[in-house]
Amino acid sequence: MGDWDHSVNSSAGIYHYNTNNDQIFLGVENKFKNKGLTLGVFSGVTNTSNANPALLLDLKESYKYDSRGIFSNNVRVRNTLSDGTNTTQIRVSPLTVSVPVSKTTTVYANPHYVGKYNYNTKEWTQGAGIFAGVEQKLGNTTIAFEGQRYNIQDWNTNKGNWGVNVIFTQTF
């Protein structure tokens, strides 16, 4: 593929929200990198908020603004398909900050805008949020622990809208 590097990752994650809902996902991602640009396709399975199993299909883009990759952007288009919940979510992160604190540990913050269309209800919702965390590499395995705050655009209405995530990734 010329100057493009290719890798395959498997990922599993657990998201716990303060509403006592948990989301679990498992899937495989193909990544293609060329200089500061990374393109990815993730496919997997998850449970939706109503506990139905769902298929996930993510299309991802990220671009490093600097040679160390401290400043970057990313875009994710997530399609969730299940019995009763069919959505497309677009998340745009114009400035992600990832700071290496050692050879194997990175801390990061990702403010973002999210828009989501629900094909079942014909509704479009949107909001702003941020997630921040720490990522630890152990050989070909990466473990990330992060906190996430949703709908920060209306702080008074959405004071308790947050979650914590643990994500395991294995690169082949």
PDB file of all heavy atoms in Angstrom, residues 26-27 30 49 55 94 111 130-131 143 154 163 166-167:
ATOM      1  N   LEU A  26     -17.089  -5.181  21.992  1.00  0.00           N
ATOM      2  CA  LEU A  26     -16.018  -6.071  21.576  1.00  0.00           C
ATOM      3  C   LEU A  26     -15.942  -6.004  20.064  1.00  0.00           C
ATOM      4  O   LEU A  26     -16.978  -6.097  19.392  1.00  0.00           O
ATOM      5  CB  LEU A  26     -16.323  -7.503  22.028  1.00  0.00           C
ATOM      6  CG  LEU A  26     -15.342  -8.594  21.640  1.00  0.00           C
ATOM      7  CD1 LEU A  26     -13.983  -8.345  22.298  1.00  0.00           C
ATOM      8  CD2 LEU A  26     -15.894  -9.954  22.042  1.00  0.00           C
ATOM      9  N   GLY A  27     -14.729  -5.817  19.517  1.00  0.00           N
ATOM     10  CA  GLY A  27     -14.632  -5.728  18.072  1.00  0.00           C
ATOM     11  C   GLY A  27     -13.216  -5.715  17.556  1.00  0.00           C
ATOM     12  O   GLY A  27     -12.251  -5.848  18.311  1.00  0.00           O
ATOM     13  N   ASN A  30      -9.344  -2.210  11.751  1.00  0.00           N
ATOM     14  CA  ASN A  30      -8.274  -2.104  10.770  1.00  0.00           C
ATOM     15  C   ASN A  30      -7.856  -0.654  10.710  1.00  0.00           C
ATOM     16  O   ASN A  30      -8.704   0.229  10.501  1.00  0.00           O
ATOM     17  CB  ASN A  30      -8.765  -2.545   9.380  1.00  0.00           C
ATOM     18  CG  ASN A  30      -8.721  -4.025   9.212  1.00  0.00           C
ATOM     19  OD1 ASN A  30      -7.650  -4.586   8.992  1.00  0.00           O
ATOM     20  ND2 ASN A  30      -9.867  -4.682   9.331  1.00  0.00           N
ATOM     21  N   SER A  49     -28.699   0.594  25.282  1.00  0.00           N
ATOM     22  CA  SER A  49     -29.226   0.988  26.592  1.00  0.00           C
ATOM     23  C   SER A  49     -30.420   0.141  27.019  1.00  0.00           C
ATOM     24  O   SER A  49     -30.699   0.015  28.193  1.00  0.00           O
ATOM     25  CB  SER A  49     -29.612   2.465  26.593  1.00  0.00           C
ATOM     26  OG  SER A  49     -30.592   2.704  25.608  1.00  0.00           O
ATOM     27  N   LEU A  55     -24.957  -4.397  16.490  1.00  0.00           N
ATOM     28  CA  LEU A  55     -23.752  -4.354  15.678  1.00  0.00           C
ATOM     29  C   LEU A  55     -23.241  -2.926  15.663  1.00  0.00           C
ATOM     30  O   LEU A  55     -24.018  -1.972  15.611  1.00  0.00           O
ATOM     31  CB  LEU A  55     -24.060  -4.801  14.249  1.00  0.00           C
ATOM     32  CG  LEU A  55     -24.534  -6.234  14.075  1.00  0.00           C
ATOM     33  CD1 LEU A  55     -24.916  -6.495  12.617  1.00  0.00           C
ATOM     34  CD2 LEU A  55     -23.465  -7.211  14.525  1.00  0.00           C
ATOM     35  N   PRO A  94     -11.913  18.619  17.406  1.00  0.00           N
ATOM     36  CA  PRO A  94     -10.952  19.436  16.671  1.00  0.00           C
ATOM     37  C   PRO A  94      -9.591  19.578  17.353  1.00  0.00           C
ATOM     38  O   PRO A  94      -8.606  19.870  16.687  1.00  0.00           O
ATOM     39  CB  PRO A  94     -11.637  20.797  16.557  1.00  0.00           C
ATOM     40  CG  PRO A  94     -12.615  20.814  17.683  1.00  0.00           C
ATOM     41  CD  PRO A  94     -13.020  19.401  17.936  1.00  0.00           C
ATOM     42  N   PRO A 111     -11.899  17.125  24.096  1.00  0.00           N
ATOM     43  CA  PRO A 111     -13.189  17.824  24.018  1.00  0.00           C
ATOM     44  C   PRO A 111     -13.813  17.545  22.647  1.00  0.00           C
ATOM     45  O   PRO A 111     -13.098  17.409  21.650  1.00  0.00           O
ATOM     46  CB  PRO A 111     -12.804  19.292  24.167  1.00  0.00           C
ATOM     47  CG  PRO A 111     -11.373  19.365  23.749  1.00  0.00           C
ATOM     48  CD  PRO A 111     -10.759  18.019  24.014  1.00  0.00           C
ATOM     49  N   ILE A 130     -16.489  15.998  26.947  1.00  0.00           N
ATOM     50  CA  ILE A 130     -15.043  15.821  27.060  1.00  0.00           C
ATOM     51  C   ILE A 130     -14.778  14.478  27.725  1.00  0.00           C
ATOM     52  O   ILE A 130     -15.551  14.041  28.581  1.00  0.00           O
ATOM     53  CB  ILE A 130     -14.366  16.961  27.859  1.00  0.00           C
ATOM     54  CG1 ILE A 130     -12.838  16.810  27.819  1.00  0.00           C
ATOM     55  CG2 ILE A 130     -14.900  17.049  29.279  1.00  0.00           C
ATOM     56  CD1 ILE A 130     -12.082  18.035  28.320  1.00  0.00           C
ATOM     57  N   PHE A 131     -13.747  13.803  27.272  1.00  0.00           N
ATOM     58  CA  PHE A 131     -13.252  12.666  28.032  1.00  0.00           C
ATOM     59  C   PHE A 131     -11.762  12.846  28.212  1.00  0.00           C
ATOM     60  O   PHE A 131     -11.075  13.456  27.395  1.00  0.00           O
ATOM     61  CB  PHE A 131     -13.632  11.301  27.442  1.00  0.00           C
ATOM     62  CG  PHE A 131     -13.212  11.032  26.036  1.00  0.00           C
ATOM     63  CD1 PHE A 131     -11.987  10.449  25.751  1.00  0.00           C
ATOM     64  CD2 PHE A 131     -14.075  11.303  24.987  1.00  0.00           C
ATOM     65  CE1 PHE A 131     -11.617  10.167  24.449  1.00  0.00           C
ATOM     66  CE2 PHE A 131     -13.709  11.023  23.679  1.00  0.00           C
ATOM     67  CZ  PHE A 131     -12.476  10.460  23.407  1.00  0.00           C
ATOM     68  N   ILE A 143      -4.054  -0.458  27.771  1.00  0.00           N
ATOM     69  CA  ILE A 143      -5.173  -0.331  28.693  1.00  0.00           C
ATOM     70  C   ILE A 143      -5.406   1.159  28.918  1.00  0.00           C
ATOM     71  O   ILE A 143      -4.468   1.896  29.234  1.00  0.00           O
ATOM     72  CB  ILE A 143      -4.884  -1.031  30.036  1.00  0.00           C
ATOM     73  CG1 ILE A 143      -4.609  -2.517  29.804  1.00  0.00           C
ATOM     74  CG2 ILE A 143      -6.047  -0.840  31.004  1.00  0.00           C
ATOM     75  CD1 ILE A 143      -4.077  -3.233  31.017  1.00  0.00           C
ATOM     76  N   ASP A 154     -25.056  22.590  28.576  1.00  0.00           N
ATOM     77  CA  ASP A 154     -26.091  23.093  29.485  1.00  0.00           C
ATOM     78  C   ASP A 154     -25.806  22.536  30.871  1.00  0.00           C
ATOM     79  O   ASP A 154     -26.420  21.585  31.327  1.00  0.00           O
ATOM     80  CB  ASP A 154     -27.483  22.676  28.998  1.00  0.00           C
ATOM     81  CG  ASP A 154     -28.591  23.335  29.794  1.00  0.00           C
ATOM     82  OD1 ASP A 154     -28.290  24.082  30.754  1.00  0.00           O
ATOM     83  OD2 ASP A 154     -29.759  23.086  29.468  1.00  0.00           O
ATOM     84  N   GLY A 163     -19.637   9.426  32.966  1.00  0.00           N
ATOM     85  CA  GLY A 163     -19.364   7.998  32.950  1.00  0.00           C
ATOM     86  C   GLY A 163     -17.876   7.732  33.097  1.00  0.00           C
ATOM     87  O   GLY A 163     -17.050   8.650  33.013  1.00  0.00           O
ATOM     88  N   VAL A 166     -13.242   1.761  30.722  1.00  0.00           N
ATOM     89  CA  VAL A 166     -12.011   0.977  30.724  1.00  0.00           C
ATOM     90  C   VAL A 166     -11.957   0.272  29.379  1.00  0.00           C
ATOM     91  O   VAL A 166     -12.915  -0.405  28.985  1.00  0.00           O
ATOM     92  CB  VAL A 166     -11.989  -0.060  31.863  1.00  0.00           C
ATOM     93  CG1 VAL A 166     -10.711  -0.874  31.810  1.00  0.00           C
ATOM     94  CG2 VAL A 166     -12.149   0.613  33.211  1.00  0.00           C
ATOM     95  N   ILE A 167     -10.838   0.453  28.656  1.00  0.00           N
ATOM     96  CA  ILE A 167     -10.727  -0.070  27.302  1.00  0.00           C
ATOM     97  C   ILE A 167      -9.428  -0.870  27.181  1.00  0.00           C
ATOM     98  O   ILE A 167      -8.353  -0.371  27.517  1.00  0.00           O
ATOM     99  CB  ILE A 167     -10.736   1.070  26.262  1.00  0.00           C
ATOM    100  CG1 ILE A 167     -11.991   1.924  26.436  1.00  0.00           C
ATOM    101  CG2 ILE A 167     -10.633   0.512  24.839  1.00  0.00           C
ATOM    102  CD1 ILE A 167     -11.908   3.278  25.796  1.00  0.00           C
TER     103      ILE A 167
END
